[in-house]
Amino acid sequence: MEWYEVGLSLMGLLVLLIFIGLPIPFAMAAASLPFLLSIQGFSTSLVSTELKLWGVWIDYILLSVPLFVFLGELIGRSRIGPDLYRFMHGGIRVRGSAAYGSIGACAGFGAVCGSSMVGSLTIGGVALPEMIKLGYDRRLSSGVLAAGGTLSVLLPPSLILLFYGIVTDQSIGQLFIAGIIPGLLLASLFVLVVVIWARLNPAHIPQAEKGPKWSARDIALTIGPVLLIGAIITVSIYAGIATPTEAAGVAALATLVLAFWVGGLTKAAFVDSLMATMRTMGYLGLLLSAGVLFGFVMNYYQIPQQFTSFFLSFDLSPYFVLALVIVFYIVLGMFLEPVSMTFITLPTIYPLIAASGFDLIWFGVVYTITMEIAVLTPPVGLNLFVIQAIGRDHVTIGDVIKGSLPFIFTMLILLAALIAYPQLAIWLPDLMS
């Protein structure tokens, strides 16, 4: 069979299996098996499949994934995350402090947790009821929290950047560094959206709340754990002291101690964190394993290489190719969640980007921002449904979508800025190296 016949058949079978309701990891594996059997035969395929799956589960780099997930679960089930929001809201007395505090808390949470959904769930669970009670507009409240959760995907450690680095064989440390400046810029743009919203609709944001002043001890106990965990991850990786996996291990241990010591973590919540981590890794592990089989079939038939050669034969402008890829991912994000997209499509797309002359570290940041947009676009926008579920008695899914639109627009602005000025992403990694 020709490469394009295999490619179309593989993707067609995958889409069919997903459409009939098969979970994505099983759909990827099932779509791969007919082609794997035609390559190697039944007995050889069975052995090679076992070896490839075992290789995924013992991969040293992938060990950081459950550690980062566990770290986020500990913070989410202790007071560390909620207390950070309460300080950003109550400790800073300006009009709109709850909205600005939500962005700041999501950014701070993003520095210690790599999951967008966990970020929205943790901060949103505390902030959304509080903002509605204070009189904030429902669309603004839900939009700022749905979008704020995406900062966890861009600011290190980021699970999407981690998976991107694994698929494309790029430095995880450099990818994490590259996300810092764009992540801070995006948080600043989100603040600007709230400022403009307040100017255009003054009634949507109440006056500043007056409450008791925070003592220096309370501030230290609130901000200190987040700063310490973030410093362990960033400094150890960027200074070359530890690998991402080692940094994740030390950070997870530090988070466990802090969660019990200052975060009020109970034994029951600790067990819940372990169980939630295992459930998450059960899905991610199956997805990673299925992705290995899927990638093996594609590489055997040289689908990524042939697709790149075919596309480049049209002699298109590199920026036109980039625009097509970004539009493709934004549209695909309406139907698939980011992790699945990464393992299904990225092995074919990234060789095309590299052949077009773009830096793969830079594209990692661009790719991650498109994934942020994906979690805010219906009908499968994960953050939209997380926030709507939190505020289901007060907020409709329409409110969340409308509230997210201005923030999606700022992400598109950041994408344009990164394309016009690539140094926004690659200056810091170049400086550190």
Side-chain angles (χ1 to χ4, degrees), residues 121 128-129 132 138 142 384-397 399-400:
L121 190 61
L128 186 59
I132 292 174
R138 292 175 302 172
S142 54
L384 302 179
F385 293 102
V386 166
I387 296 301
Q388 196 274 328
I390 292 171
R392 56 183 172 272
D393 295 332
H394 306 282
V395 176
T396 66
I397 191 64
D399 291 330
V400 187

Side-chain angles (χ1 to χ4, degrees), residues 226-423:
V226 176
L227 292 178
L228 178 59
I229 298 165
I232 289 172
I233 296 169
T234 55
V235 174
S236 60
I237 294 175
Y238 305 156
I241 299 172
T243 65
T245 301
E246 292 165 345
V250 175
L253 179 60
T255 303
L256 180 61
V257 173
L258 290 169
F260 275 114
W261 184 28
V262 298
L265 186 72
T266 63
K267 291 182 179 179
F270 170 68
V271 173
D272 288 342
S273 299
L274 287 173
M275 296 301 294
T277 301
M278 286 190 283
R279 283 193 296 269
T280 301
M281 286 311 303
Y283 176 82
L284 290 179
L286 289 172
L287 188 60
L288 287 164
S289 302
V292 168
L293 294 179
F294 199 79
F296 173 77
V297 171
M298 288 200 299
N299 283 318
Y300 179 85
Y301 286 99
Q302 295 193 318
I303 293 173
Q305 298 88 336
Q306 295 290 345
F307 176 79
T308 299
S309 300
F310 173 74
F311 216 93
L312 293 178
S313 67
F314 291 100
D315 199 25
L316 299 174
S317 162
Y319 287 99
F320 183 73
V321 173
L322 179 65
L324 288 178
V325 169
I326 291 173
V327 171
F328 165 75
Y329 274 121
I330 291 175
V331 172
L332 190 63
M334 297 179 182
F335 307 98
L336 284 178
E337 46 86 21
V339 178
S340 298
M341 279 193 286
T342 300
F343 289 101
I344 293 173
T345 65
L346 196 56
T348 301
I349 296 297
Y350 90 84
L352 175 62
I353 293 296
S356 298
F358 293 108
D359 183 274
L360 287 179
I361 296 293
W362 168 84
F363 180 68
V365 177
V366 171
Y367 175 80
T368 302
I369 295 172
T370 64
M371 295 301 101
E372 293 183 62
I373 296 173
V375 298
L376 294 176
T377 50
V380 191
L382 294 178
N383 283 21
L384 302 179
F385 293 102
V386 166
I387 296 301
Q388 196 274 328
I390 292 171
R392 56 183 172 272
D393 295 332
H394 306 282
V395 176
T396 66
I397 191 64
D399 291 330
V400 187
I401 293 171
K402 291 174 184 176
S404 299
L405 290 177
F407 299 97
I408 293 174
F409 180 69
T410 62
M411 293 179 187
L412 295 173
I413 292 175
L414 181 59
L415 272 180
L418 281 168
I419 294 170
Y421 304 101
Q423 288 297 319

Side-chain angles (χ1 to χ4, degrees), residues 94-216:
V94 297
R95 188 183 180 200
S97 61
Y100 301 131
S102 297
I103 296 169
C106 286
F109 193 83
V112 294
C113 171
S115 171
S116 173
M117 188 173 67
V118 173
S120 288
L121 190 61
T122 301
I123 304 300
V126 179
L128 186 59
E130 181 73 10
M131 292 179 73
I132 292 174
K133 184 176 71 175
L134 291 171
Y136 283 80
D137 180 73
R138 292 175 302 172
R139 290 167 297 177
L140 173 61
S141 303
S142 54
V144 77
L145 290 166
T150 65
L151 294 171
S152 297
V153 181
L154 191 56
L155 289 168
S158 162
L159 291 182
I160 294 298
L161 282 174
L162 181 62
F163 291 140
Y164 174 91
I166 291 168
V167 172
T168 61
D169 196 27
Q170 298 297 303
S171 166
I172 306 297
Q174 285 199 324
L175 286 167
F176 281 179
I177 299 170
I180 294 177
I181 293 177
L184 295 176
L185 283 175
L186 187 60
S188 302
L189 287 172
F190 284 175
V191 169
L192 184 60
V193 168
V194 176
V195 171
I196 295 173
W197 194 312
R199 292 288 181 89
L200 296 177
N201 304 284
H204 289 184
I205 297 180
Q207 295 298 321
E209 284 285 302
K210 292 184 179 179
K213 290 184 177 181
W214 284 58
S215 67

